[in-house]
Amino acid sequence: MLWRHCGIHFLFVSITLLAASLPLTAAEIKVSVIPDHDNWVYAVAEPIVFTVTAEAEGKPLSNGEIVWRIGPEQMAPFSQGTSSLQDGKLVLRSHGLDRPGFLRCIAEIAADGKTYRGLAAGAYEPERIQPTTPMPDDFETYWKGELEKQKEIPLDPIMEPIENEGSENVDLYHVSFACASRSSRFYGMLAVPKGDGPFPALLQVPGAGVRPYQPNKGWAAQGAIHLAVGIHGFPVNLPQRVYDNLRAGALDDYPSIRLDDRDRYYYRRVFLGCARAVDFLFQLEKFDGKTLGIHGGSQGGALSIITAGLDKRIRFIAAQFPAMCDHYGYLHERAGGWPHLFRGQNPFNCTPEKIKTAVYYDVVNFARILDQPILMDLGYNDETCPPTSMFSAYNVISSPKEMQIIPRQGHFYLPEQIEYYEAWLRNKLKETN
């Protein structure tokens, strides 16, 4: 196991909420929260000191009221208050956590009707975080059975050339194939290097949402077949208004659709469709038949781990801030992963049937059966995919693994992160070719 801790000389977070236009009397305010350890890592029960700063136009605010709260991420704070800035600074001292996890400080200041916000989280022995979600005895048997059923369905691949958008060295296609049932299809964008090949391949699985997709010519220009799939069962090249309407209508809150039924839950077709994308790549004449990696962020990070757990033909995994890790966290008074199915003991989801279904769709259980090398990256300031949940998955992986940590990172990509993971993927394409 390798941890790569990045950016320790400039560890800060600044999240500024801006209106479209602020009053002329208001300057942009930046709120920063900085823990007193450079690497943001603490021993269990160790006290922590957060320094909050507020600036306007690069100068410390001479006064102002900071509303702050400190507590385990996603949980009710165990201390909170309103305190005055002194020369643009506020120092907050707190006892530490009594178990492995993340202790977060959130600070806000209001000005001219707007709220400006900063946060940071101390990591308390994160390498010891373990999942709360159990693994059912029939977990692997269930998914093997679902994959066997899918094999009975003809793949029926369709490749439609995308005219006038390729290049002298890349061909582009809008593709689809059958999955889960004869009437269900998966769609995606395929970029294939020109030439005889054979070529290695990368499968990209998507983050959450409902949107169109573009083919990735960059990887194909470097000599790798690249397939980016959507998950919702309709073409990924339609006008934007189609996706906007679906997102606001039929697919609103899709992660909760039929959660009470393991065999009909929305993500069943998604997981099987991602596995079917592997079948699609293996039937391409230009694919070398062995060198296949998978990557994605957030929901795509989750689907990367899940698909590799389902199909061992995937040789390596790059999972960025993966979602869907440790759904049961909220049932044990700690943070769970996106989509936060049971947050706040949600009465709509906290039924015996839905709780039972969730274990078959939790990244931690797929992480437990991985045997491929994996790169995972995350940030301590991610409120969408809490680091507690992501470490619960990472810590149960027994295959070769590496984690890139950028503490200040929230739920977004940073340039140095992208540079590192793309280099990692390039190296893996060469190593396994």
Side-chain angles (χ1 to χ4, degrees), residues 21-339:
S21 61
L22 290 173
L24 294 177
T25 57
E28 177 183 335
I29 296 175
K30 181 174 71 173
V31 180
S32 299
V33 182
I34 307 172
D36 60 333
H37 285 192
D38 284 346
N39 62 1
W40 297 23
V41 177
Y42 297 79
V44 165
E46 183 179 0
I48 187 171
V49 178
F50 294 103
T51 299
V52 181
T53 60
E55 297 180 347
E57 296 182 340
K59 298 179 181 179
L61 291 181
S62 59
N63 54 57
E65 295 289 309
I66 293 288
V67 178
W68 58 269
R69 56 190 184 274
I70 298 173
E73 57 172 349
Q74 298 292 326
M75 297 288 107
F78 50 60
S79 60
Q80 57 187 320
T82 300
S83 303
S84 299
L85 288 167
Q86 299 294 327
D87 297 322
K89 182 184 297 186
L90 172 65
V91 177
L92 298 169
R93 294 175 172 84
S94 174
H95 63 79
L97 291 179
D98 60 0
R99 61 181 180 178
F102 285 80
L103 181 60
R104 175 161 290 152
C105 175
I106 299 174
E108 299 175 335
I109 187 170
D112 294 310
K114 307 298 176 184
T115 300
Y116 303 86
R117 185 172 185 265
L119 72 158
Y124 279 79
E125 301 183 26
E127 72 282 357
R128 291 178 51 210
I129 295 172
Q130 291 295 308
T132 61
T133 302
M135 187 171 190
D137 293 339
D138 66 342
F139 180 82
E140 291 186 80
T141 301
Y142 174 74
W143 284 110
K144 286 178 181 177
E146 295 302 290
L147 291 170
E148 287 299 320
K149 295 176 188 176
Q150 183 166 254
K151 288 179 181 179
E152 299 174 2
I153 301 166
L155 184 64
D156 188 26
I158 297 175
M159 297 175 56
E160 303 169 318
I162 301 175
E163 305 294 345
N164 304 320
E165 291 188 29
S167 66
E168 62 182 11
N169 57 359
V170 176
D171 290 320
L172 305 178
Y173 303 88
H174 180 256
V175 304
S176 70
F177 43 88
C179 71
S181 69
R182 293 179 185 271
S183 60
S184 175
R185 297 189 73 80
F186 239 48
Y187 293 82
M189 289 292 189
L190 178 69
V192 182
K194 289 185 177 178
D196 295 334
F199 302 106
L202 288 174
L203 171 60
Q204 182 175 2
V205 281
V210 187
R211 66 181 71 86
Y213 293 91
Q214 296 295 323
N216 191 318
K217 292 185 281 189
W219 284 109
Q222 297 178 59
I225 296 169
H226 189 273
L227 173 62
V229 296
I231 63 168
H232 297 301
F234 44 79
V236 295
N237 60 351
L238 302 175
Q240 181 64 48
R241 66 179 182 277
V242 175
Y243 305 100
D244 293 342
N245 290 336
L246 286 165
R247 182 173 59 252
L251 294 181
D252 180 44
D253 194 27
Y254 68 83
S256 294
I257 295 176
R258 294 189 296 274
L259 179 59
D260 58 350
D261 187 336
R262 179 186 68 174
D263 300 327
R264 299 178 66 246
Y265 180 38
Y266 191 86
Y267 274 107
R268 174 186 173 274
R269 192 193 65 84
V270 173
F271 290 11
L272 292 175
C274 290
R276 207 73 199 272
V278 177
D279 294 335
F280 174 85
L281 286 167
F282 267 83
Q283 57 87 45
L284 293 177
E285 291 183 2
K286 289 190 177 183
F287 177 49
D288 69 12
K290 59 177 181 177
T291 313
L292 175 60
I294 190 168
H295 68 109
S298 192
Q299 176 187 263
L303 294 175
S304 296
I305 295 170
I306 289 161
T307 309
L310 291 173
D311 197 321
K312 304 302 183 180
R313 291 177 294 177
I314 294 173
R315 304 285 291 277
F316 50 91
I317 309 151
Q320 298 171 290
F321 37 86
M324 304 178 72
C325 298
D326 204 30
H327 293 310
Y328 275 27
Y330 291 108
L331 303 178
H332 295 266
E333 298 185 348
R334 76 175 208 194
W338 181 92

Side-chain angles (χ1 to χ4, degrees), residues 41 56 135 161 167 195 202 244 248 253 255 362 376 389 395 398 400 403 410 417:
V41 177
M135 187 171 190
S167 66
L202 288 174
D244 293 342
D253 194 27
D362 197 309
M376 186 185 295
S389 69
N395 289 342
S398 59
M403 180 179 283
Q417 170 206 31

